[in-house]
Structures are given as structure tokens and as C-alpha cells.
Amino acid sequence: MTNLSGLAAADASRPGTLTRFFGYVRPYRASIGVALLLGTARANLPFLFPWAMGKAVDQFVPHGGVAPALGGIPMWLFFLLVSLAFATLYPIVYFRVWIMGRAAHRVIFDLRYDLFQHVQKMSLSFFEKRQVGGIVSRLITDISIAQNFVGNAITGIIMDGSRFGLALYLLVSCDWRLALGALAILPVYMAVVHRLRKRIHATSRKVQDKLADISGQLHEKFAGVKVIQSFHREKSEEIEFFQESREFLGYTLEGVRLQSTALATAITLVTVAPAVLAWWGFSRVLTGELTVAAVVAFVGYLALLYDPLSRFTELSVIFTNAIAAMERVFEIFDLTSEVTEAKGARDLPALKGDVHFDGVTFAYTSGLPVLHDVDFVVQRGERIALVGESGSGKTTILNLLLRFYDPQQGRILVDGHDVRKATLRSLRNQVGVVLQESVLFTGTISENIRYGRRNATEKEVVEAARMANEHDFIMGLPDGYATEIGERGIKLSGGQRQRVSLARVFLKAPRI
């Protein structure tokens, strides 16, 4: 499972998941309110039909099947007005779906952008402890699932809730005894939903966690496909993927089984109950307790009472899955970077380039220091080489200089300025690093060199390439500097990737 050590989710002072999510919904509450009003109209418009039928029967039966007028309104005009009311369904549905859909997508855009910003600010240790694919899964999959809460759950609950309330009122107006009979199934329905809700939530978390694991593993495997093929490990990777996918399938099918149980229970209850109530109602017509019109209207209203009840079960599943996804998203928000800017941090001036490690001690794991009381000075214009065995701390020194990590003891000074008191941007903008493993991005050679300085001219890009001794090989390519290099620069050789990385730093022209 994705490692979430250090998560402070248990902090009772934090607002609940829904409260935090509604913080993103709040800016769009006007649009959502309009959509909900339209949805309420859409949900309750069908009540016109059983109402009109009841009125018509009341008039037709006493008059022997002939009723020229209804409450002073000609019958043809009455049904024309009812038909025109139903004709408003198209614009109501269209604008409800459009307005709500637009608001839901904007909520998700804001949430995803904020999460991306938050992840960008995390220290290097955050990424070293987690699979990249798992982080991407939360940015893409989990947030998409959370969108259903705005797009479906909120709308459905309000629409069906209003329909349920109006239907109940009309049922009571027809006959309160029959209305009580209609409500008799509610305790059974609520007991089933309550019992299954926690299990569906737990299963949904397992599904999403396992999907994040699989996404992380696929990202690693595809990035290292050369290693897999060179060791001829394709079959073992297939077996591992099959096992992980089978476990994911098991969790998914368990969720489907629980959803099926909830839906089957709801549908059975709302199918059997109307038949029983209709029989009871017509038996009371024979005894003179009720009119035919009252029973006809009651049966019509009853369908509109139970229809929301069936959908409440589906909405409960959507709601539960969305909550589980939101929890996973806010778990990332709850993590804080180990490297942060100090209050009142100041921008560094243009550096000369003096570097001083003053008694620096650092450990990735507590009690196992990689550097112990390291003290050295590199003066402006001086070039040094750090020599040592693998794991002796050479890369760590660069990581500390760039503040990817902070030392447990000691200070790092540039031109006499403590790097912990400087803004990260002003520090990192003046330090250039070429990593041992060249990191390039999908795009052209020119775009990758310009990553060091986005506003560089074409002439400056070419000059940086010449300094890295790569201009000639670039010009030998069919598209020159516009050559697409593929993901992680896969279309280039290792040496060529290294030279593009060098050119990128030369273009940046750092002070250190």
C-alpha cells in the first residue's frame, strides 16, 4: 500500500472531509442553487399527471363519462395546460444539467490544481517514500470520483428529497392510513442501507488504494522496461501484474456484490408494496371508505414516492465512494513539507558564489548519519571535486545545498547567508546542477534546453548547446532543435541526454 507515514489525519482539530470539500463548492453555490431549483422543478413536474387524472376521474364518473368542464375550465383547455407544463421539461433538464455540470467541473478543477500546487511544494523525501503513479492516481482518479458528489449526489439528494416530501404530503391528503402503509417499508430500507454503508465505504477504500498501487507499479515498470527486457523478466512481471489485478478485481467484485444487495432490497420493497397498497385501497372503495379517484391518484403518487427511494440507494453508493476518494485526496493535503521557508525569508542578492558548510550533520534515517560534522569552504571561482565511495554523502551535499533537505545540525552559508533564512526560489535560481541521471521531459530538444530559462532566444539556446558540445549532433537530426525526444528523452542516447542537461544548466547561467 502507499506509504502515508507522517500523516496527521488523526488531528481532531481539522474539519471533516465534507466540510473541507464544501469549501471548494462554496464559490459556485449560486450556480449550484439555480441548478437545484431547476432540478426540484424537474423532479416534481410529474406530479401533475396523477393529479390531473384524479381530477378527471372525479368529473367523469359522476357525469357518466362526460365532463365538458373542470372547475369552470373546458376539459380540452385543462389538458392543454397540463401538456404545456410538461413541454417545459426540455429547457429545465437542459439548463439544470449544463449549469450543474459546469459548476462540478470547476470545483474539481480548483481541487486538482490546489492538490498539484501542494504536491509541487513537498520536499524530496515525500517523493522518495511514495510511488509516483500512486500520487498521480490521487490527482486524477480519486478527484474524478469525488466529482460525482457534486454532479450526482448533491443534485440527486435535493431532487429526490423534494419529490419524496411532496409525494408524502399528497399521499396523506389522499388517505392517511394508506400513507402510513406506504411508509412501513422505510425502517427495513434504512436498516439495510445503514448496515451496508460502512462495508461499501471500506471496500471502496480498498479498491482505490489498490488502484493507486497498480498505477505506481505500472509507472515504475514502464519507465524501467529496458531493465525488464535485458533480464528477460517479462513473464515474472506478467505474473505479478496478474496477481495484483486479481486482488483488485476481488475488491471490485465485493463492492459490486454489496451494491447489488442494496439495490435488490430497495427494488423488491418498492415493487411489492404498491401491489399490496393498491389491493387494500380498492378493497376500501368497495366498502365506501374511499373514492376511485382517491385510489387512482394515490397509486400514481406512490410511484413517485418509491422512485426516489430506489435512487437513494444508488446515491448512497455514489456518496460513499466519493467520500472515500475525498479522504484519500485530503490525506495528501494533510502532509506538510519537511523543508519550508522561514517566516520573513528574504530573497538572496546576486551571489558571488562562496559556499560554506559549517559543522553539518545529516541523516536520512534517525541515528544513521550520512554526514557528520562536515566543514569546508568553496570560494568564488573555485572548482572542487568530492571523491568518495558510494553512499559516502557526495550527492547528499548537493541536496543540502539546494535545500531538498535540511541538516539536523550545522549551517550552510552562501556568501555568508544562511540558506534556511532565504527564499527557496532565490536560492535555487542561482544554483545549477547536472544530475547523474539525466531527467528530460516529453517535447523537443529546444524546449528541454529552454527549461533552464523559458524566455531565452534561439541564439542563446544554440550558444548553450555549443558550450555543451552538442550543437553538431543536434543539427545532424532531421528536425534539428525541433526534434521530439519522447518521454524522458528515450529517443536519445545516454550521452546525448547528458549533454542536453548540460546545455540546460549553461543556459540558466547560475552563480554556483
Side-chain angles (χ1 to χ4, degrees):
M1 293 272 178
T2 304
N3 185 348
L4 286 173
S5 58
L7 180 65
D11 186 349
S13 65
R14 285 199 179 90
T17 300
L18 276 180
T19 302
R20 299 171 75 176
F21 186 76
F22 276 121
Y24 286 90
V25 175
R26 193 173 297 114
Y28 307 101
R29 58 186 180 276
S31 296
I32 293 175
V34 171
L36 291 178
L37 287 175
L38 292 172
T40 302
R42 156 69 183 89
N44 295 310
L45 196 60
F47 283 101
L48 275 175
F49 183 75
W51 174 80
M53 289 298 295
K55 292 292 184 183
V57 170
D58 265 344
Q59 293 297 313
F60 273 105
V61 171
H63 292 86
V66 178
L70 184 63
I73 302 176
M75 188 61 71
W76 67 268
L77 180 58
F78 173 73
F79 280 105
L80 177 62
L81 292 174
V82 172
S83 300
L84 288 174
F86 278 103
T88 63
L89 271 176
Y90 179 87
I92 287 175
V93 172
Y94 175 84
F95 285 108
R96 180 192 70 79
V97 174
W98 163 245
I99 294 172
M100 181 58 82
R102 184 177 59 181
H105 283 289
R106 285 179 172 173
V107 168
I108 296 308
F109 172 85
D110 293 344
L111 181 59
R112 181 174 285 132
Y113 180 67
D114 281 358
L115 182 59
F116 179 79
Q117 281 188 310
H118 181 75
V119 170
Q120 285 273 89
K121 295 175 183 176
M122 297 302 290
S123 57
L124 198 60
S125 61
F126 170 84
F127 297 96
E128 291 177 343
K129 295 175 182 177
R130 293 163 185 84
Q131 292 176 315
V132 173
I135 299 171
V136 172
S137 176
R138 301 200 188 209
L139 270 164
I140 304 300
T141 306
D142 290 333
I143 289 182
S144 295
I145 294 173
Q147 180 180 337
N148 290 330
F149 182 81
V150 182
N152 295 318
I154 293 179
T155 310
I157 289 171
I158 299 298
M159 287 175 58
D160 289 330
S162 67
R163 177 181 285 192
F164 185 86
L166 182 56
L168 183 59
Y169 168 78
L170 293 171
L171 288 173
V172 172
S173 68
C174 290
D175 184 76
W176 67 270
R177 294 179 182 84
L178 284 175
L180 285 178
L183 293 176
I185 69 169
L186 282 182
V188 179
Y189 169 81
M190 294 177 68
V192 172
V193 171
H194 178 71
R195 183 176 180 182
L196 294 176
R197 183 178 58 82
K198 289 185 178 179
R199 295 172 62 186
I200 291 174
H201 179 272
T203 302
S204 180
R205 276 302 302 253
K206 291 178 181 177
V207 168
Q208 291 162 35
D209 286 342
K210 178 53 66 175
L211 182 60
D213 286 346
I214 292 175
S215 297
Q217 291 172 19
L218 288 177
H219 186 276
E220 285 184 347
K221 304 304 182 186
F222 290 149
V225 67
K226 288 183 179 179
V227 176
I228 293 173
Q229 292 181 353
S230 66
F231 283 91
H232 195 54
R233 298 282 293 179
E234 293 91 342
K235 193 62 182 178
S236 63
E237 293 297 339
E238 288 176 19
I239 294 172
E240 183 178 344
F241 180 74
F242 174 81
Q243 292 171 341
E244 292 290 323
S245 297
R246 186 169 59 180
E247 186 176 352
F248 174 72
L249 176 62
Y251 293 145
T252 304
L253 293 181
E254 174 65 12
V256 172
R257 186 186 68 80
L258 293 172
Q259 294 172 29
S260 300
T261 302
L263 287 173
T265 302
I267 291 173
T268 300
L269 289 173
V270 301
T271 302
V272 173
V276 174
L277 290 169
W279 174 83
W280 184 25
F282 281 114
S283 68
R284 293 176 64 197
V285 170
L286 297 177
T287 62
E289 295 179 61
L290 290 174
T291 64
V292 173
V295 176
V296 169
F298 183 89
V299 172
Y301 296 145
L302 192 61
L304 296 173
L305 177 79
Y306 285 159
D307 187 43
L309 203 60
S310 298
R311 279 199 301 276
F312 277 147
T313 305
E314 300 177 34
L315 290 173
S316 176
V317 173
I318 293 173
F319 179 86
T320 303
N321 290 339
I323 290 294
M326 290 178 203
E327 289 173 351
R328 282 172 45 82
V329 169
F330 287 116
E331 281 176 356
I332 298 296
F333 276 116
D334 288 339
L335 295 173
T336 56
S337 176
E338 295 177 4
V339 175
T340 57
E341 288 187 354
K343 290 184 178 180
R346 296 183 177 182
D347 287 342
L348 290 172
L351 297 176
K352 297 177 181 179
D354 293 340
V355 175
H356 181 195
F357 272 59
D358 182 16
V360 171
T361 296
F362 175 78
Y364 293 101
T365 304
S366 180
L368 298 173
V370 177
L371 300 176
H372 182 71
D373 198 24
V374 172
D375 200 309
F376 66 86
V377 175
V378 182
Q379 296 180 345
R380 174 188 180 186
E382 187 178 1
R383 292 182 177 87
I384 69 165
L386 300 176
V387 180
E389 296 178 351
S390 178
S392 61
K394 302 183 297 297
T395 303
T396 300
I397 286 176
L398 291 179
N399 287 337
L400 292 172
L401 177 61
L402 284 160
R403 281 204 76 200
F404 291 147
Y405 301 92
D406 281 331
Q408 283 81 32
Q409 295 178 21
R411 300 180 304 164
I412 300 170
L413 308 173
V414 289
D415 287 3
H417 301 283
D418 190 330
V419 296
R420 282 178 291 196
K421 297 179 181 179
T423 61
L424 292 171
R425 181 182 182 88
S426 66
L427 170 66
R428 293 173 181 173
N429 273 347
Q430 300 192 68
V431 181
V433 175
V434 179
L435 301 173
Q436 184 173 343
E437 180 184 356
S438 302
V439 177
L440 303 181
F441 302 101
T442 301
T444 66
I445 291 177
S446 178
E447 289 168 345
N448 271 273
I449 296 176
R450 273 198 174 91
Y451 201 81
R453 184 152 52 92
R454 293 292 193 186
N455 60 351
T457 65
E458 191 65 33
K459 181 179 179 181
E460 290 172 327
V461 170
V462 172
E463 181 59 29
R466 290 185 186 278
M467 293 174 66
N469 196 25
E470 66 169 341
H471 175 72
D472 291 341
F473 103 77
I474 292 174
M475 296 308 296
L477 298 171
D479 295 320
Y481 283 86
T483 300
E484 293 283 342
I485 63 173
E487 185 177 6
R488 299 173 65 88
I490 195 170
K491 295 182 180 180
L492 303 179
S493 70
Q496 290 169 341
R497 289 196 295 269
Q498 195 74 39
R499 292 187 182 281
V500 173
S501 298
L502 281 167
R504 186 164 59 194
V505 174
F506 284 139
L507 185 63
K508 182 181 179 181
R511 306 297 296 181
I512 301 175

